[in-house]
Amino acid sequence: MRFSNRTPDDLSHNQVTQAIEGAGVIAFDLTQSNPTQCGFNYPTKLLEGLGQPEALRYQPEAFGFPAARETVARYLASQGQLVKPENLVLTASTSEAYSY
């Protein structure tokens, strides 16, 4: 099966990949978009917040959760950038951000 005219006929590993595999170098796949496949060491208490009654309430916010925008604004202020929380838009992905 051919996907596109831009896809090469030879899909074997290129010289860089072969060199990395041959040297036993640990490489990070920066194209991986699934965090569960990246080998992160998650904190043991990461999911504790889901056990709170507030987590059972769904209240969508088009521009991001207000408390999260306030937190980002405070962080930016600590870095010398004054931004009002109401001027921030938090998105779930770069694709969503591009749409804005």
Side-chain angles (χ1 to χ4, degrees):
M1 171 190 271
R2 187 144 171 90
F3 295 105
S4 162
N5 289 336
R6 294 174 292 177
T7 305
D9 291 326
D10 180 9
L11 296 178
S12 60
H13 289 166
N14 63 25
Q15 290 178 345
V16 173
T17 303
Q18 291 172 2
I20 290 171
E21 288 176 347
V25 175
I26 297 174
F28 295 100
D29 182 357
L30 299 179
T31 64
Q32 177 58 260
S33 61
N34 181 345
T36 65
Q37 300 295 314
C38 294
F40 294 129
N41 293 319
Y42 293 104
T44 55
K45 296 182 178 187
L46 178 68
L47 300 177
E48 283 183 3
L50 295 177
Q52 303 300 318
E54 297 83 20
L56 297 174
R57 196 172 335 121
Y58 177 62
Q59 294 177 308
E61 295 284 344
F63 298 117
F65 191 57
R69 290 188 285 140
E70 290 168 10
T71 300
V72 171
R74 278 194 306 275
Y75 169 77
L76 291 173
S78 76
Q79 302 298 307
Q81 300 178 34
L82 300 179
V83 180
K84 295 179 182 177
E86 59 269 20
N87 291 336
L88 290 171
V89 177
L90 303 181
T91 63
S93 66
T94 53
S95 297
E96 183 183 0
Y98 293 149
S99 73
Y100 283 110

